[in-house]
């Protein structure tokens, strides 16, 4: 079984929850402290051994490409001003991985986005698929955690997180058999269930290792249950074929950046760990708490 070296990042969505901020820039480029969300995710993938990142983009996503590209004018200006520490930071971004870009012409679902990039994936190649709201604060990269499960079992793996009961209706919830070490053999998926219908409190977080079988199934789906081509449809089809899919409850804290409150929470969490502003932010929070008492 070969090591996973490629990742697909579907980033063609409109980011409507963050309007008007996302009217002219991608949601994935909104900054958490001093880096856009998408850079954190790429760094998580690279830390686990990913060497090639394939972005599936749409209209208005050019800023992502520019961010990971070489910027001659910026680097020249920084060198002239002797800001060599900033030069190193900028150059580190473009050297993270090999980057490719594919356009998704119409927003036909995350499965369609993966299909758009399938021609860049080898016939027998398993890949990482990572979505834009999967920022994690953890000692071990969440990508490495799902990779370790894939390397042990050799089948598709889905990253999982526990959520509060009132949040279950926002996510895809799994029903599975615990195998130990926070690994589950998944038996079924329930999309956005009511609390009483949820089979567990474990939800998909958008970090997936998918095998060639998943890509094969996705290519056969014209229209799924939702009217779009969804990765979840391929998972269900594979389960019906009797294939095994695993889930891994990820260690660390999921800083879901999919809505405004969680985005601000992620900024505060990571801001407190930032060497430059951490102490000042901590004091600011203490002072603010006193004001509200």
């Amino acid at each position: 079984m070969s090591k996973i070296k490629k990742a697909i990042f579907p980033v063609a969505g409109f980011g409507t929850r963050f309007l008007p901020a996302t009217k002219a820039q991608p949601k994935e480029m909104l900054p958490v402290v001093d880096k856009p969300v998408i850079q954190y995710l790429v760094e998580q993938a690279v830390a686990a051994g990913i060497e090639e990142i394939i972005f599936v983009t749409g209209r208005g996503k050019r800023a992502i490409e520019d961010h990971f590209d070489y910027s001659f004018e910026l680097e020249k200006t920084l060198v002239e001003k002797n800001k060599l520490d900033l030069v190193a930071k900028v150059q580190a971004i473009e050297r993270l991985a090999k980057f490719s870009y594919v356009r998704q012409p119409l927003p036909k679902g995350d499965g369609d986005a993966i299909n758009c990039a399938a021609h860049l994936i080898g016939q027998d190649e398993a890949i990482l698929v990572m979505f834009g709201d999967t920022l994690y604060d953890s000692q071990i990269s969440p990508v490495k955690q799902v990779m370790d499960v894939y390397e042990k079992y050799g089948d598709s793996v889905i990253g999982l997180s526990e959520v509060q009961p009132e949040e279950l209706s926002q996510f895809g919830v799994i029903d599975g058999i615990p195998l130990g070490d926070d690994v589950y053999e998944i038996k079924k998926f329930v999309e956005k269930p009511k609390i009483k219908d949820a089979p567990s409190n474990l939800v998909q977080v958008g970090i997936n290792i998918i095998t060639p079988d998943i890509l094969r199934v996705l290519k056969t789906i014209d229209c799924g249950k939702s009217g779009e081509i969804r990765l979840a449809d391929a998972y269900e089809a594979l389960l019906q074929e009797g294939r095994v899919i695993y889930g891994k409850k990820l260690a660390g804290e999921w800083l879901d950046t999919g809505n405004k409150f969680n985005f601000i929470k992620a900024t505060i969490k990571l801001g407190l760990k930032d060497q430059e502003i951490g102490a000042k932010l901590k004091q600011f929070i203490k002072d603010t708490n006193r004001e509200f008492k």
Side-chain angles (χ1 to χ4, degrees):
M1 180 169 47
S2 60
K3 293 280 187 179
I4 296 172
K5 297 297 183 183
K6 295 179 183 177
I8 295 176
F9 282 68
V11 291
F14 291 115
T16 53
R17 291 180 181 177
F18 290 91
L19 286 169
T22 51
K23 182 176 183 290
Q25 69 171 329
K27 175 188 72 174
E28 297 82 7
M29 287 299 296
L30 295 177
V32 173
V33 188
D34 59 354
K35 290 190 289 190
V37 172
I38 193 66
Q39 184 177 333
Y40 285 98
L41 307 188
V42 168
E43 288 172 348
Q44 290 174 359
V46 170
I50 293 296
E51 297 177 356
E52 182 175 346
I53 306 289
I54 304 165
F55 290 113
V56 182
T57 69
R59 181 176 174 82
K61 300 286 183 170
R62 180 62 186 270
I64 295 175
E65 185 173 348
D66 289 342
H67 182 71
F68 291 101
D69 198 4
Y70 170 60
S71 177
F72 171 77
E73 296 85 355
L74 174 61
E75 292 187 23
K76 182 174 182 292
T77 300
L78 292 175
V79 169
E80 290 173 349
K81 294 184 177 181
N82 201 34
K83 296 183 177 181
L84 302 184
D85 56 332
L86 293 179
V87 172
K89 282 187 177 182
V90 170
Q91 290 179 339
I93 298 170
E94 64 205 45
R95 294 171 180 170
L96 279 168
K98 177 183 178 181
F99 297 100
S100 303
Y101 302 87
V102 178
R103 287 291 288 263
Q104 183 182 18
L106 296 171
K108 294 167 58 178
D110 53 24
D112 179 68
I114 295 168
N115 280 338
C116 289
H119 64 287
L120 297 176
I121 307 302
Q123 187 174 359
D124 300 319
E125 192 173 11
I127 57 167
L128 168 71
V129 175
M130 197 167 182
F131 294 93
D133 302 331
T134 52
L135 182 58
Y136 253 82
D137 183 16
S138 59
Q139 292 184 339
I140 301 174
S141 164
V143 177
K144 185 178 189 312
Q145 294 181 52
V146 294
M147 279 191 178
D148 287 345
V149 177
Y150 167 75
E151 290 175 4
K152 180 177 180 179
Y153 293 100
D155 284 296
S156 294
V157 185
I158 298 170
L160 305 173
S161 178
E162 291 183 329
V163 300
Q164 297 300 315
E166 61 271 18
E167 298 178 283
L168 290 169
S169 62
Q170 303 173 41
F171 302 104
V173 183
I174 70 107
D175 185 9
I177 300 172
L179 303 177
D181 296 324
D182 289 327
V183 177
Y184 296 80
E185 182 181 334
I186 295 175
K187 292 301 181 182
K188 70 175 181 179
F189 300 89
V190 182
E191 188 68 22
K192 299 181 178 180
K194 296 179 180 178
I195 295 175
K196 64 181 180 64
D197 298 324
S200 73
N201 66 340
L202 291 169
V203 305
Q204 304 177 61
V205 302
I207 302 175
N208 310 265
I209 301 297
I210 66 172
T211 59
D213 287 330
I214 295 289
L215 290 171
R216 169 183 58 80
V217 172
L218 278 175
K219 291 176 182 178
T220 68
I221 300 174
D222 292 325
C223 184
K225 293 179 180 178
S226 64
E228 298 180 330
I229 302 172
R230 302 296 304 275
L231 182 56
D233 296 325
Y235 284 143
E236 289 186 6
L238 216 62
L239 288 176
Q240 290 173 5
E241 291 180 7
R243 295 296 303 275
V244 179
I245 298 173
Y246 295 96
K248 167 65 176 176
K249 186 172 73 171
L250 298 171
E253 184 177 5
W254 179 24
L255 302 176
D256 176 16
T257 56
N259 61 56
K260 286 185 282 188
F261 174 75
N262 285 338
F263 191 93
I264 292 171
K265 185 171 76 172
T267 301
I268 294 171
K269 288 269 189 179
L270 296 183
L272 287 169
K273 295 187 174 187
D274 185 81
Q275 290 185 349
E276 181 181 347
I277 68 167
K280 292 180 180 179
L281 180 57
K282 186 176 182 179
Q283 186 60 50
F284 171 75
I285 292 171
K286 287 182 178 179
D287 294 342
T288 303
N289 284 339
R290 283 195 285 266
E291 290 178 13
F292 282 98
K293 287 182 178 179

